[in-house]
Structures are given as C-alpha cells and as structure tokens.
Amino acid sequence: MAGRRYDVTLFGATGFAGRQAARYLSEHATPGLLWAVAGRNRAKLELLQAETHASGLVVADADDPATLDELAAGTRVLASTAGPFAHRGGPVVEACVRQRTDYADITGETAWVRGLVDRHHAAAAAAGIRLVPFCGFDSVPSDLGTLLVASFIRDRWGQDTRRVSASFALRGGWSGGTLATLLHSAETGELEVGRDVLLLNPPEHASDAERARSVDRDAVEWDPVRRVWLAPFAMARVNTRVVRRSNALLAAAGRGYGPEFAYEEAGEHRTRAAAAATRLGLKILERALAWEPSRALIRRLGPAPGEGPPETAREHGAVRLRLVGEAASGRLVRATLAASGDPGSRVTVMCLCQAALALAMQRDALPRSPAGGVLTPATGLGLLLLDRLEAAGLQIEIGPLVRA
Ligand SMILES: NC(=O)c1ccc[n+]([C@@H]2O[C@H](COP(=O)([O-])OP(=O)(O)OC[C@H]3O[C@@H](n4cnc5c(N)ncnc54)[C@H](OP(=O)(O)O)[C@@H]3O)[C@@H](O)[C@H]2O)c1
C-alpha cells in the first residue's frame, strides 16, 4: 500500500458522527499522519477541512463507483460513517476490495454485514485486506470486553471460556442518522433478518447445539453477582452476533474462546419496575417499527439526519459494561469497561478513530490470523485496539471474581 496519498480517509465526514470524528482525528492523530475528510458535498468539506486542518479533502459519492475507486485508491485506511450502510455502504466496501484498502465503519446493520461476508470475505481473506465493520459503540465494547475476559481465562488459568454474560448501564441519546438507519432496516426487512442469533457465523459454526445456547434475552431477572435487575438490551441483537462471529473466526484460526462458548447481553436497571418498563418499551418500539404509519410518525418526531444530541448531552453521557466470564472449571472472572461521553457519538467516534489509527499506524502489530476478510473488532484489531482505547480514556478493570 505504499504510495497512497493519505493514511486515513474519513468518508461521511460531513454527517453528525463524521464531523465529530474529524474533530477527534484533528486532536488525536499521531504527528505526521496524513488524513483526509471525504463526502459528496465539496462546500461542506471545505468548511470542515478549514476547521480541523485535515491534510486534504476528497469528493466522492456513494452512488458514483468511479469516485469511490479514486477515494479507496488514495488512502491506506478508509473509515466510514456514511450510513444507513445497507443503503450506501455496499459500493464503498466493493471499492476497498478492488483497491486493496483496509476499511472500518460504525455500522450496526447485521443483515448488511451478512451480505458483505457472502460477497467479500473469501476475496478479502485471500488478499489480506481487513474489512472491519462494527467499530462503534456497536460492537467494540462487547467484542473486545469478551476477548479480554477469554484471554484472561486462557492466560491465567489455561482454560476455555464456557460463558460470558455482559450487561450495560448507559446514558445517551440518538442521532438522526441512527434513527434513519433503524427505520431503513425496518422498511427493508433487515431487522427481521437480524433475529437470526447466528446470522454472522460461518456455516461450520452454526450447529444446532450452538444455536440452542445462543438465545436472545426476553426475561427480567435479578442478578445476584452484579446486584442489578437485568432486562433485554436494545443493541444486544447486534453485539451478540458480532461476538459469536469473533469466536467462530478465532476458532478457525485455532484460538477460539472454547467449544461450548456462549455469550449473552442485557441492560442493567436499579429496580424491577425500570427493567420491566424497558422490556415493554422495546416491545412497543418493535411493533411501531413494523407498521408504516407509526414509522412515519417516528420519522416526523425524531431528529433529522445530520442532527443529534447537543454538546452538553454528549458531554453528560456515559457507558459502563460489566462482564462476568465463566471458565470451563467454573471459576469466574469479572471485568468492567467504562467511558464518559454519549455512547452513540463520543464513544463511537473514539472507537472508530482509534480503530482507523491502529490499522494505519500499527498494522504489523495486529492479530496475524485471520489476516484479512470481513472481520470483527476482536479479530481484525484485537487487544491492541483495547490498549489504544485505554490510553485514550477508556477505564478497564479485570480480575477473578470470588463469590461472597
Ligand atoms: N455503531 C454505533 O454505535 C453507531 C453510533 C452512531 C451512529 N451509527 C451509524 O452511523 C451512521 C451515521 O450516523 P450519523 O448520525 O452520522 O448520520 P448522518 O448525520 O445522517 O450522516 C450521514 C453521512 O452520510 C453522507 N451521505 C449520504 N448520502 C451520501 C452519498 N450518496 N454519498 C456520500 N455520502 C453520503 C451524508 O453526507 P451529507 O452531509 O452530504 O448529507 C453524511 O455525511 C448511521 O448509519 C448510524 O446508524 C452507529
């Protein structure tokens, strides 16, 4: 990849997440990093370049494959925030495969990524191109948190991991782009496709036994270990599929978490009533998304693309992920990942930018196997990304859990 003009190019840079990513890169890029903002609107890009001092700008439109080839050929890493990805992302990834360019994005659209796996995994794996979707809040904390727990169990105790249970407590808002993506997924039927608990697994990792232990939470229950009420979690249908794909890809490389590994994810609540209300709220949202008149109402009342929580709300947000891992012997590990800032914007932007910087600046230190393909944060970037995130402000704790 020598001779490329930029180390990192940020596509979708003029959107809500993209603008914040450009500011993040302007503050955190390694000295000397050559990076560009890219999108379809030159005037907006010029303003953003002036504000962030990006090294360059590239005009490219997701509907114009020739511009995408030029975009991908001019950079070592393409980081994309141009969603809905099922609507605009396919040709961008195709251009990256053609131009042998590493790629990261912040999609949470599992059905779209299933299509990428079918179309590009084999070719990208053979060519050693890293295509790493899910580098936002979906699904970096879940995927790297699980890798951390399973690595601890393997390194300290030499054992397989039988189970990881993860739970989120968070404070944050939604951007118009996220809402547009959710509505698009509902309209196209992709939300329904995303119900498949093993959607992202290769066929050899989709046995009946694996399916039986991969269940989406529906219950509200008291967790005596974390001492909170657990309820269904809105993003679990994304994160669980990603963690399972990581385990399957690692198993193929001889480094799986364990033959009986199971992962589940929940939301944490202080009271049973709050947990039950969240469960009910998610069911109502699901019904509303299935019906065009209620989708139209959500579209009218929610934020428009380009908008999102204001600066104060982004500042005020927070996320904490707690994981409990069980080794094959029954010994337990607990881990916590915590960050301040709105999960859908601040945390997402930090994860994406650090992923792009890792691909650009530390490619030789990334996990060697698998060396390419449609990967996940855990398989494409591994613990190196967690180290970078810790240096960037993510708080991480891990240790054995001794039951009282
Ligand atoms: N994984 C996570 O945790 C997470 C968190 C937040 C967001 N997201 C996802 O990230 C995506 C972006 O969210 P957002 O709030 O930033 O959305 P947004 O503000 O609507 O931004 C979308 C971007 O796509 C660009 N775009 C639209 N059509 C294009 C085309 N034909 N060619 C090139 N660029 C085009 C827009 O350009 P213009 O400025 O010219 O309109 C804009 O820059 C959504 O899919 C959302 O679901 C994921």
Side-chain angles (χ1 to χ4, degrees), residues 11-20 38-41 44 60-64 68 80-88 92 105-109 134-140 173-182 235 238 304-308 342-345 347-349:
F11 185 59
T14 55
F16 182 70
R19 293 191 301 272
Q20 292 171 69
R40 60 182 169 174
N41 185 317
K44 283 192 198 175
D61 194 312
D63 298 328
D64 182 349
L68 296 179
S80 179
T81 58
F85 289 86
H87 186 197
R88 303 178 175 127
V92 180
D105 72 27
I106 57 168
T107 190
E109 295 160 68
F134 304 116
C135 284
F137 173 59
D138 321 327
S139 300
V140 167
W174 286 41
S175 72
T178 298
L179 191 62
T181 300
L182 187 62
M235 307 322 299
V238 179
E307 297 173 359
D342 177 46
S345 46
V347 177
T348 289
V349 159

Side-chain angles (χ1 to χ4, degrees), residues 51-338:
E51 179 197 332
T52 59
H53 306 291
S55 330
L57 72 79
V58 183
V59 179
D61 194 312
D63 298 328
D64 182 349
T67 62
L68 296 179
D69 273 309
E70 226 170 279
L71 170 77
T75 189
R76 293 166 56 218
V77 178
L78 189 68
S80 179
T81 58
F85 289 86
H87 186 197
R88 303 178 175 127
V92 180
V93 176
E94 273 158 37
C96 286
V97 174
R98 277 196 299 274
Q99 301 301 332
R100 304 173 74 101
T101 300
D102 288 336
Y103 169 89
D105 72 27
I106 57 168
T107 190
E109 295 160 68
T110 51
W112 175 65
V113 175
R114 175 70 246 176
L116 292 185
V117 170
D118 295 340
R119 292 195 302 279
H120 302 303
H121 180 73
I129 305 161
R130 288 177 196 253
L131 306 172
V132 196
F134 304 116
C135 284
F137 173 59
D138 321 327
S139 300
V140 167
S142 306
D143 204 26
L144 294 187
T146 303
L147 176 66
L148 179 71
V149 166
S151 303
F152 183 97
I153 290 172
R154 173 85 63 219
D155 296 347
R156 290 283 181 99
W157 302 331
Q159 291 185 34
D160 287 334
T161 298
R162 189 189 287 155
R163 201 172 92 91
V164 172
S165 160
S167 56
F168 277 97
L170 50 91
R171 193 167 58 233
W174 286 41
S175 72
T178 298
L179 191 62
T181 300
L182 187 62
L183 292 165
H184 184 267
S185 300
E187 273 158 15
T188 55
E190 284 170 354
L191 272 189
E192 271 309 299
V193 175
R195 281 178 181 277
D196 180 352
V197 292
L198 301 181
L199 180 66
L200 297 177
N201 279 33
E204 59 278 18
H205 267 273
S207 66
D208 290 346
E210 180 131 17
R211 198 168 283 284
R213 60 176 181 263
S214 306
V215 179
D216 284 330
R217 165 175 288 277
D218 186 43
V220 162
E221 67 182 338
W222 173 251
D223 175 34
V225 176
R226 283 164 282 206
R227 303 195 60 75
V228 284
W229 288 92
L230 298 180
F233 178 61
M235 307 322 299
R237 278 205 195 147
V238 179
N239 296 333
T240 51
R241 282 51 169 169
V242 175
V243 171
R244 288 174 198 139
R245 177 166 180 78
S246 292
N247 180 43
L249 293 179
L250 290 171
R255 294 182 293 122
Y257 299 150
E260 291 173 24
F261 173 75
Y263 177 77
E264 83 126 15
E265 198 167 283
E268 293 185 1
H269 300 273
R270 288 210 188 109
T271 63
R272 180 183 206 141
T278 298
R279 177 177 180 273
L280 180 64
L282 286 173
K283 284 196 185 299
I284 293 170
L285 178 64
E286 208 168 307
R287 286 283 169 87
L289 286 169
W291 196 42
E292 176 48 34
S294 41
R295 283 201 298 265
L297 187 69
I298 295 172
R299 193 174 287 110
R300 194 147 54 81
L301 297 180
E307 297 173 359
E311 173 71 30
T312 45
R314 300 202 298 264
E315 198 69 44
H316 197 62
V319 57
R320 184 188 67 194
L321 167 65
R322 294 198 284 179
L323 305 109
V324 178
E326 185 184 331
S329 65
R331 286 178 84 173
L332 297 179
V333 175
R334 46 131 209 100
T336 303
L337 274 58

